Amino acid sequence: MRRLLAPLHLFSVLLVIAGWVVGQEKKSEQLPSPRATPLVSPDIHPDGSVTFRFRAPNVREVKLAREGAAPVEMQKDDQGVWSVTTASLQPAYYGYSFIADGARSLDASNPSLVPNLLSPGNFVHIPGPPSLPWELNDVPHGEIHHHFYRSTVAGDDRDYYVYTPPGYDAAARKTYPVLYLLHGFSDDASGWTAVGHANVILDNLIAQGKARRMIVVMPLGYGTMEMIRLGWNAWSHTEVRDRNFNKFSAALLTEVMPRVENEYRITKDRNARAIAGLSMGGSESLLTGLNNLDKFSWIGAFSSGGIPDEFQKDFPALDARANQQLHLLWIACGTEDRLITINRNLREWLKTKGVKETEIETPGMHTWMVWRRNLAEFAGLLFR
């Protein structure tokens, strides 16, 4: 019996050990796995400089691509975290992303996103004084409305946003002038509110008595989404580019405008109707506005791009008679913008036609920092 008990005792001990091991494994499965220490990025310092951080231990090179600046190299520490600290930045919103071994990446530590159909990114806000038009202040706020519809012109489902000013009452008899505000290439219909903070700018201007209360309509700016499917090379496809411009104008004039004028208390008068936009949207504002002066009397173009130098082809009927119909033709561009040349050429061509325009050149590149200021200045001139 003793000889039998010893093996049985050993077997029991082994069972207990095995059970303990399995139990420990189950416990370990239930415990959270070790995680890397969360990064602080962007890290804004009191002097307005910013440290950006990006964890990528297995890549060879990381650069910070920041709006309004050339990409800069980042340095890696022994934990595989790349970082760079900027010089002091002026108060503004800055879009940015990381370029890791040539591939664009978002900042996973920053929930502040810049929507974009081709190159989404993040943004960092360097706060400024309340006097800056894009700073959120304790003033009456308007509302942003989001609409969807089926476009017969474009053959797809699309959207548009509408800003109604503080005090707007759909049941009241009061009507408001309207600004059709167009985004640029690669943006979507949310660009002017999500990135441009157009609603905040209008709220502040209205509260300060610097702008009239107005409705702002922000449609999707593509006549054909083939422009986006072609990516950044879209502008070299002239047929697609021209179709994009033509169909956008048709969609705006025959679909969006009738809808919003039916849904909102908009003054149906060309003297109370403006159109403006940035980059591609600036060109669309010129093409749609100047070729439809019976509908628009206020036109603004910010850093216009996409139209060729064949201005006579694009504006065949434009001459000095337009001055009797235009309250304002406002053409702006940053002096460091790659599109400054075509904007200057356009202004010179307008002079040969006897068309009066307001020429605006400010320091700056092809950035939202320029366009926010453009909107703040342009909106204050409207409907006076």
Side-chain angles (χ1 to χ4, degrees):
M1 288 295 292
R2 289 181 180 177
R3 290 180 180 179
L4 291 173
L5 285 173
L8 287 173
H9 177 71
L10 178 61
F11 181 70
S12 299
V13 171
L14 291 173
L15 285 176
V16 170
I17 294 173
W20 181 84
V21 170
V22 171
Q24 291 301 105
E25 290 177 347
K26 290 182 177 179
K27 287 181 180 180
S28 66
E29 290 174 358
Q30 295 171 358
L31 293 174
S33 59
R35 294 179 182 270
T37 303
L39 297 181
V40 177
S41 179
D43 190 0
I44 304 172
H45 306 298
D47 65 350
S49 64
V50 183
T51 299
F52 296 89
R53 299 182 177 91
F54 182 65
R55 181 177 283 110
N58 299 320
V59 303
R60 298 183 300 275
E61 179 188 65
V62 179
K63 294 181 179 180
L64 170 70
R66 177 173 59 81
E67 187 179 17
V72 294
E73 300 277 354
M74 301 177 70
Q75 302 299 316
K76 184 170 70 169
D77 65 15
D78 56 5
Q79 300 298 312
V81 175
W82 300 77
S83 65
V84 67
T85 300
T86 70
S88 296
L89 301 178
Q90 292 297 313
Y93 288 87
Y94 296 86
Y96 73 94
S97 60
F98 300 121
I99 304 174
D101 287 346
R104 184 182 295 271
S105 297
L106 295 175
D107 186 346
S109 302
N110 184 3
S112 300
L113 300 175
V114 174
N116 193 280
L117 298 178
L118 294 180
S119 55
N122 299 89
F123 71 81
V124 58
H125 177 213
I126 309 300
S131 58
L132 292 176
W134 52 82
E135 291 293 330
L136 192 63
N137 288 303
D138 185 14
V139 298
H141 298 297
E143 295 184 3
I144 300 172
H145 314 263
H146 195 186
H147 296 266
F148 300 86
Y149 78 101
R150 179 71 183 178
S151 171
T152 302
V153 172
D156 58 23
D157 294 295
R158 48 187 48 212
D159 62 340
Y160 58 90
Y161 289 79
V162 177
Y163 164 86
T164 51
Y168 175 82
D169 183 356
R173 299 184 63 181
K174 177 179 174 58
T175 61
Y176 296 81
V178 61
L179 165 63
Y180 291 89
L181 187 59
L182 313 181
H183 62 74
F185 180 68
S186 80
D187 294 325
D188 63 18
S190 71
W192 266 112
T193 51
V195 191
H197 307 283
N199 54 308
V200 177
I201 292 172
L202 266 296
D203 287 346
N204 288 331
L205 293 178
I206 292 169
Q208 296 163 10
K210 294 180 179 179
R212 289 194 59 188
R213 295 177 188 267
M214 67 185 77
I215 291 172
V216 183
V217 179
M218 295 158 281
L220 185 68
Y222 306 99
T224 170
M225 295 308 293
E226 191 175 355
M227 287 290 290
I228 291 299
R229 290 191 288 270
L230 289 171
W232 297 109
N233 294 321
W235 297 104
S236 63
H237 297 262
T238 55
E239 291 184 5
V240 176
R241 177 201 65 198
D242 292 345
R243 185 163 64 251
N244 178 67
F245 283 145
N246 292 334
K247 284 198 168 187
F248 169 77
S249 291
L252 179 68
L253 296 173
T254 67
E255 294 179 338
V256 176
M257 283 176 54
R259 282 175 174 272
V260 296
E261 290 187 354
N262 182 58
E263 295 167 344
Y264 292 90
R265 301 202 64 81
I266 290 174
T267 305
K268 300 176 183 179
D269 182 340
R270 62 175 301 279
N271 293 305
R273 194 180 291 132
I275 187 168
L278 69 91
S279 195
M280 177 185 75
S283 294
E284 290 170 338
S285 298
L286 293 168
L287 291 166
T288 304
L290 290 175
N291 289 314
N292 294 277
L293 290 173
D294 60 320
K295 296 180 174 63
F296 300 95
S297 61
W298 311 79
I299 300 172
F302 315 154
S303 309
S304 299
I307 54 175
D309 278 319
E310 302 170 359
F311 302 124
Q312 186 62 46
K313 177 183 175 182
D314 286 322
F315 308 102
L318 191 62
D319 57 30
R321 290 173 296 179
N323 298 326
Q324 301 172 10
Q325 298 172 285
L326 283 168
H327 292 299
L328 180 64
L329 174 56
W330 203 82
I331 300 177
C333 193
T335 53
E336 301 160 76
D337 194 322
R338 64 188 185 278
L339 296 174
I340 188 68
T341 299
I342 192 169
N343 278 269
R344 287 172 174 169
N345 291 344
L346 172 62
R347 291 196 296 256
E348 289 304 313
W349 180 81
L350 288 170
K351 290 175 184 176
T352 68
K353 292 293 182 178
V355 178
K356 298 178 181 178
E357 49 87 24
T358 301
E359 180 178 318
I360 303 295
E361 290 191 2
T362 59
M365 302 171 68
H366 203 70
T367 67
W368 279 102
M369 286 88 81
V370 171
W371 304 322
R372 292 185 196 103
R373 292 185 183 277
N374 287 163
L375 176 61
E377 188 173 350
F378 179 74
L381 302 173
L382 296 178
F383 314 123
R384 298 293 187 178

